[in-house]
DNA sequence: CTTGACCTTGACGCTGCGTTAAGGTGTAGA
DNA sequence: TCTACACCTTAACGCAGCGTCAAGGTCAAG
């Protein structure tokens, strides 16, 4: 079977330009040329092209492919290992870039928010910094850096309006919690309302909500005295009560 | 303070060619030219160059930098976010390349040719399709589409070597679970070893690990009879035992 | 014989400069 | 003032891997 450029191109899924270029750089020369100068490829060229495209898919440069496919004594696997090292190095550099870009984004966002309302930005920034200082390490260890960073970003992106709503909800959680404690029943109407408000409050800063994480956080309110102190300063035992309410709310086995 | 190309170049650590090129494409034009046509830069240009180099370090292309530094109304952060998406996409492609290269290396070393690799790919694809058919809806509802998709992608990208390790671990979990059940104690050494192996096994396909999700999955093993059947077919009650062991392991209140 | 599909070589474009090349300028020391 | 020598200018090619015209020749079908 013999092929012209276009036929071979269709067969292998490459453009005619590519084939002419491969001829030009001596990577894949046609078996012969007909009387009018047309490139004619045979079966051997088809096979060789398959090889070439295989290595090309792996991201190997054409010069290296030339060595691999033209010289049977050439050490293909070792070339691939070198290539793998290069790819890994590239990825390491990419990771550094990505990290830097992400840091810049949050920094820039912080700055542009500042331009908005002075007081407002100060509050939010302060809030994040406080969070980081007080609970950052703990939360990061428990939920991973990504969750915390996304939470911070979400907070910074919050509009002034939403931020007000966020603060209002926070207060409502505390108020409802106080009333609920009086009933003494975490599974009661008020207790469950508290848990629901708490979920809504969380949704302002958590990238995704899950019952497991909600229950986990509730448990942390009890285990970590810094959280416990925050809730207990209103009423002693408030943290435990909130946890129990959330456990019922999320249906987590207690 | 005024600078010629070379002085500014030394100051900022770039070549004179680079500065002339930036002039040429209108990225950074000199403040003025002296009577002989020499480029003269001032303080403003120094500052702008710093900005340019900063974005260049982040891998942003010069055309985009031009927009960012020349147009103060241009949305820098959003440009950076787009850039971040591009970088992430690049990394994804790199990961695929690396996986393929690794597959090729091990395939070549084992002297098995394309045929085997193809078979292997089909096998993995089959596994994913089965997973989707059986548990897809359930898992998607519980953990969200993104988690499942990422899990699938991770599976397809797994190198043959890693896949073998993955299957080996799966068997080891079952074996250790069987021994652990004989002890009757989920909190015992063997029970905890099972939970740890199970975590390692999960890490092959889960994009991120969290205790909550691990515990949640363990509970699902009991609640969902399809999962339960898989574990119980070895020993009745195995699913419950595994869940209890994981609850202890993750420290989740039972 | 015409038409339209297919072939050829040639050459520019893209990115971000490195690298000569050919020639003008600034300044310090003899 | 002459001269060396460092420094400046524009112009142009090269790099990887083709995409994309452009201008013109060839082949098979109707």
């Amino acid at each position: 079977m013999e092929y012209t450029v276009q036929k071979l191109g269709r067969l292998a899924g490459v453009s005619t330009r590519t084939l002419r270029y491969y001829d030009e750089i001596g990577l894949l020369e046609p078996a012969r040329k007909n009387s009018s100068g047309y490139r004619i490829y045979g079966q051997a060229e088809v096979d060789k092209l398959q090889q070439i495209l295989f290595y090309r898919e792996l991201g190997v440069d054409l010069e290296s492919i030339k060595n691999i496919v033209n010289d049977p004594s050439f050490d293909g696997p070792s070339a691939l290992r070198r290539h793998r090292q290069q790819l890994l190095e590239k990825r390491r550099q990419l990771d550094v870039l990505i990290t830097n870009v992400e840091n810049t984004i949050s920094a820039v966002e912080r700055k542009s928010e500042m331009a908005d309302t002075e007081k407002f930005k100060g509050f939010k920034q302060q809030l994040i910094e406080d969070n980081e200082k007080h609970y950052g390490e703990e939360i990061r260890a428990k939920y991973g850096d990504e969750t915390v960073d996304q939470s911070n970003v979400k907070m910074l992106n919050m509009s002034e309006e939403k931020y007000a709503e966020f603060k209002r909800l926070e207060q409502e959680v505390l108020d409802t919690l106080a009333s609920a404690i009086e009933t003494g029943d975490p599974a009661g109407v008020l207790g469950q309302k508290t848990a629901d408000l708490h979920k809504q409050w969380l949704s302002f800063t958590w990238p995704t909500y899950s019952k497991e994480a909600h229950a986990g956080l509730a448990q942390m309110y009890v285990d970590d005295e810094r959280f416990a102190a925050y809730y207990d300063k209103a009423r002693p035992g408030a943290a435990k009560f909130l946890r129990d309410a959330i456990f019922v709310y999320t249906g987590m086995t207690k």
Side-chain angles (χ1 to χ4, degrees), chain A:
Chain A
M1 185 58 173
E2 299 202 315
Y3 307 87
T4 58
V5 267
Q6 200 164 60
K7 281 182 187 163
L8 179 56
R10 266 202 297 266
L11 181 70
V14 299
S15 72
T16 62
R17 176 68 177 98
T18 298
L19 290 176
R20 267 185 281 108
Y21 179 65
Y22 288 177
D23 183 9
E24 190 183 328
I25 64 172
L27 176 55
L28 178 68
E29 286 160 20
R32 60 187 180 82
K33 288 194 169 190
N34 76 1
S35 55
S36 320
Y38 283 26
R39 292 177 178 78
I40 307 293
Y41 299 88
Q43 189 55 46
E45 285 71 36
V46 175
D47 294 345
K48 192 166 165 186
L49 181 54
Q50 299 285 5
Q51 270 193 72
I52 291 170
L53 295 181
F54 175 71
Y55 285 107
R56 192 182 69 164
E57 288 250 314
L58 299 181
V60 182
D61 62 294
L62 300 186
E63 192 54 32
S64 304
I65 296 180
K66 207 160 134 184
N67 291 324
I68 296 175
V69 301
N70 283 340
D71 183 357
S73 74
F74 194 83
D75 190 352
S78 116
L80 276 185
R81 269 188 291 271
R82 257 205 318 284
H83 181 54
R84 175 166 161 276
Q85 286 308 314
Q86 291 169 13
L87 292 179
L88 290 174
E89 175 59 23
K90 253 193 194 172
R91 188 173 62 177
R92 274 228 330 280
Q93 292 175 5
L94 248 186
D95 283 341
V96 171
L97 274 193
I98 291 171
T99 305
N100 286 339
V101 168
E102 284 176 348
N103 284 338
T104 304
I105 289 175
S106 60
V108 166
E109 250 158 19
R110 217 166 289 158
K111 219 164 81 186
S112 74
E113 284 289 338
M114 292 226 236
D116 270 13
T117 323
E118 257 199 345
K119 236 182 175 179
F120 175 58
K121 63 95 212 254
F123 268 11
K124 286 203 303 186
Q125 186 52 41
Q126 191 60 44
L127 204 149
I128 286 176
E129 277 167 12
D130 285 359
N131 257 339
E132 280 288 295
K133 226 175 282 166
H134 291 152
Y135 315 119
E137 210 172 316
E138 178 84 4
I139 301 181
R140 275 180 197 277
K142 211 165 165 68
Y143 298 105
D145 283 355
E146 206 171 337
T147 305
V148 178
D149 289 345
Q150 285 179 12
S151 171
N152 283 349
V153 164
K154 224 181 163 185
M155 171 103 71
L156 280 169
N157 282 341
M158 222 185 281
S159 74
E160 199 161 352
E161 221 166 299
K162 280 204 168 155
Y163 181 74
E165 170 72 3
F166 174 63
K167 295 301 287 182
R168 200 192 57 68
L169 249 180
E170 186 175 1
Q171 190 54 50
E172 196 178 345
V173 168
L174 290 175
D175 292 346
T176 313
L177 178 60
S179 311
I181 288 175
E182 308 236 314
T183 72
D185 180 14
V189 177
L190 275 179
Q192 290 308 289
K193 190 183 175 189
T194 308
D196 188 62
L197 286 170
H198 186 258
K199 173 191 169 179
Q200 289 177 42
W201 177 71
L202 266 187
S203 304
F204 273 81
T205 55
W206 276 22
T208 62
Y209 174 85
S210 83
K211 288 180 177 178
E212 290 78 16
H214 193 184
L217 183 67
Q219 183 60 47
M220 206 163 75
Y221 282 174
V222 174
D223 296 340
D224 189 305
E225 79 271 2
R226 293 166 305 187
F227 280 109
Y230 173 74
Y231 286 101
D232 287 354
K233 78 176 174 225
R235 311 245 166 174
K240 272 198 175 61
F241 186 93
L242 179 58
R243 177 202 58 183
D244 293 342
I246 291 174
F247 273 13
V248 172
Y249 181 80
T250 58
M252 299 314 275
T253 38
K254 199 170 158 192

